[in-house]
Amino acid sequence: MITLKHNGELNTERTKWIYLYTPLCGTCQLARTFIELAEKAYGESFIYELDLNYLKNDAQLWGIESVPCLVKIVEGKPIKKLYAFESVSNVFEFISTH
């Protein structure tokens, strides 16, 4: 995964995947592992990670309900969100079908 330091970097590409987390969230750590394994299947890192604490205003506008959350961003707007990180295949399928 690629770490974003602040949300100013979000609009640099037409489509972007962003993994939102908080540092002390245990479920977020497990979700990160699932995402990293799904990325390995693609052979490249393309999902950006961002601490939700740095994205409070946008998170509210985007309707982020909880963490962990994987969001597909198209032209600066959220299109799809994944909250249930049940397995690596669940994450891989979400990425592949959206």
Side-chain angles (χ1 to χ4, degrees), residues 13-93:
E13 296 174 15
R14 184 178 176 119
T15 300
K16 187 173 285 193
W17 292 92
I18 300 183
Y19 168 62
L20 300 170
Y21 69 97
T22 56
L24 300 177
C25 169
T27 305
C28 295
Q29 293 172 10
L30 180 61
R32 175 183 283 114
T33 302
F34 290 170
I35 290 169
E36 288 171 348
L37 291 170
E39 279 185 320
K40 283 184 182 181
Y42 279 96
E44 65 177 309
S45 292
F46 61 93
I47 298 174
Y48 294 82
E49 65 177 351
L50 181 61
D51 182 341
L52 187 65
N53 294 311
Y54 293 107
L55 194 68
K56 290 180 181 177
N57 292 335
D58 287 330
Q60 191 172 40
L61 291 172
W62 292 353
I64 303 300
E65 298 170 12
S66 64
V67 292
C69 181
L70 181 59
V71 184
K72 181 178 183 180
I73 305 289
V74 176
E75 296 178 1
K77 297 179 183 169
I79 303 300
K80 294 283 183 187
K81 301 174 207 157
L82 176 67
Y83 294 103
F85 291 81
E86 299 164 352
S87 66
V88 175
S89 58
N90 164 263
V91 173
F92 185 82
E93 182 180 331

